Amino acid sequence: MNLEWDEFFVTGEPLIYAADVSIVLTTIAIIFVLTYFKKWKWLWREWLTTVDHKKIGIMYIFAALLMLFRAGVDALLMRAQLTVPNSKILEGQHYNEIFTTHGTIMIIFMAMPFLIGLINFVVPLQIGARDVAYPFLNAVSFWTFFMGAMLFNISFIIGGSPSAGWTSYVPLAGDELSPDPGQNFYLIGLQIAGIGTLLTGINFLVTILKMRAPGMTWMRMPMFTWSTLITMILIIFAFPVLTVALALMTFDRLFGSHFFTLADGGLPMLWANLFWIWGHPEVYIVILPAFGIFSEIISTFARKTLFGYKAMVWSIVAIAGLSFVVWVHHFFTMGANAAVNSFFSITTMMIAIPTGVKIFNWLFTLYKGRIKMTTAMLWSLAFIPNFTIGGVTGVMLAMAAADYQYHNTYFLVAHFHYVLISGTVFACFAGLFFWYPKMFGYKLNERLGKWGFWFFMIGFNVTFFPMYFLGLAGMPRRIYTYEWADGWFNLNVVASIGGVGMAIGFVLLVYNIYWSFRHAERENEGDPWDGRTLEWSTPTPVPFYNFAITPTVKGLDAYIIMKKDREQQEKTYKPIHMPSYSGLPIIMSAAFFISGFGLVFKWWWIAIIGLIGVLVTLVLRSFDYDEGYYVQVEEIERIENAYK
Ligand code: HEM
Ligand SMILES: [Cu+2]
């Protein structure tokens, strides 16, 4: 591709220039602050080279919040454009780019990383482990995710954004109809980040299988750990499909092959199938951990053991299994015969059964509980009715014949936002409020938290409930404007007002983080909510080796049992083996980024230089015989005594 420089930088829109300026200013500000306070070394030593699961978790969450902001701005721009008919804020191509980046970033670079961040921080603590099975690999996961996300995001100012929707259907996403580099950013950014996700799947699967504290049998595993285990299995089976699909489309676009093309024997429907064979499990990858989070929070603040624990476990397993045999429900209207559509219609509806079991178990957990209305609990309680609305409308969509009416309308947009926001996003916020004191040694402010909750939760309903009716009134998704005569004006105004409410809720959350950092009361005992599981048994901030002495588990709700027995654990420490930090993961991922950047623009020499960089880091790692180090007993004593 021989790009001119004025094609290289995205030009022509005042919005983009404003963004360019703010990006440059922010970068300068960050460099200035780091230099002025002499924080470069600290940043490199403590964070960029860390292999500590707790710090990696916090970095995931930080990155996810940034991405929530980015994709949230996209969302507000779309709402602004659609508020009144014939609006001229965005033109068509720009609107297409924005819904594409919004959807892709929300799912791949916000929802998944947010949950993986919470998983990273919590799960090793919850199972009484000192870290994950492969700490180095964990850092590789984070940095490939981060670099993949950055590569995708720069498309906004360099080269232009993808515009074929987050589903990237061909032929629209092929190089005849999308000749700009935008779609390449999608393919390669997701590919690089996908490596990280797959590695996370393997890492946490092994961690949970092999590293549980003595006594933690299968049926004593906390619910969040269970949901993580099943999610990792979903990742391991689903992500390779995405890897292959992305690679094939990359060949089509960069090297002129014909896997998905209309002509020359390509099969465009093959893309749709591959995409959703990954894509449907993907939506469960972002919902099952959320179920786990709500289970922990609801049982903690109802102060009861989770009702129907075993049924909860088996329903997660059932949902995960079914999630691989429903993918055709995304294209009922694309001409499969009645038998095929019926099969997928029925499997889809069957998912409602285990999900219903879970809903009732949460309700029974609440029944006769001594409920404590914390912010985390509010998010969890709000989840139940809101998610049910999303679920029930999902069953409506599952009826193949009826789907001819709903397909590609705002009814669908309302449905998936109801499940993704009241499921995944509420869970991320709930989990953040719940585990924040464990991460930093102080709570987020509850008053601000509750204000934020009400703005966001009401705003969410005001935004998306009207969309069901817009859909039934025939408003298609992915349109950038409409006419007065269509009659969709009133409900669109309502939806946009709700969007402002959600934005205020988000701003309150960010302000809460700042306020609490400055003013919240510090504590180091580590059990602010009367917790039930092992992560609450450590002091806060958690020492880098997690547990000075590996705990022994005597039942479900392990920490409740410990507190009841007032068990005096032996205090004879032994040296603890810990892995060394390493700069290789971030360097390797940066090399991936460079290579990816070259591929996007078909600048082969850059792609090759990047790949050589990746290979060099792989070789360096192979000859790295650093086996970690031991924390000596005196050191452990010194650290542990400092908490008293
Ligand atoms: C913060 C509030 C949000 C608002 C106001 C919002 C609004 C919208 C709008 C207006 C569209 C485009 C509809 C169309 O033209 O077809 C859209 C699409 C989409 N949204 Fe959101 N959204 C929000 C949050 C989220 C979240 C949290 C997720 C996922 C975790 C998400 C996932 C998606 C997806 C996957 C699409 C489809 C993109 C496509 O058609 O390719 N959204 N959203
Ligand atoms: Cu699906």
Side-chain angles (χ1 to χ4, degrees), residues 122-129 207-208 211-213 216 221-222 225 534:
V122 176
V123 167
L125 291 169
Q126 226 177 24
I127 62 174
T207 304
I208 297 174
M211 299 187 54
R212 280 169 288 146
M216 185 175 282
M221 269 168 30
T225 300
L534 287 179

Side-chain angles (χ1 to χ4, degrees), residues 230 233-239 241 276-278 280-282 284-285 318-328 343-344 347 351:
I230 305 296
I233 294 172
L234 286 184
I235 287 178
I236 290 169
F237 282 96
F239 265 77
V241 182
W276 286 113
I277 288 174
W278 161 77
H280 194 88
E282 167 66 11
Y284 285 88
I285 290 166
I319 293 172
L322 283 171
S323 77
F324 281 100
V325 289
V326 297
W327 79 91
V328 171
F343 174 83
F344 284 95
T347 51
I351 292 194

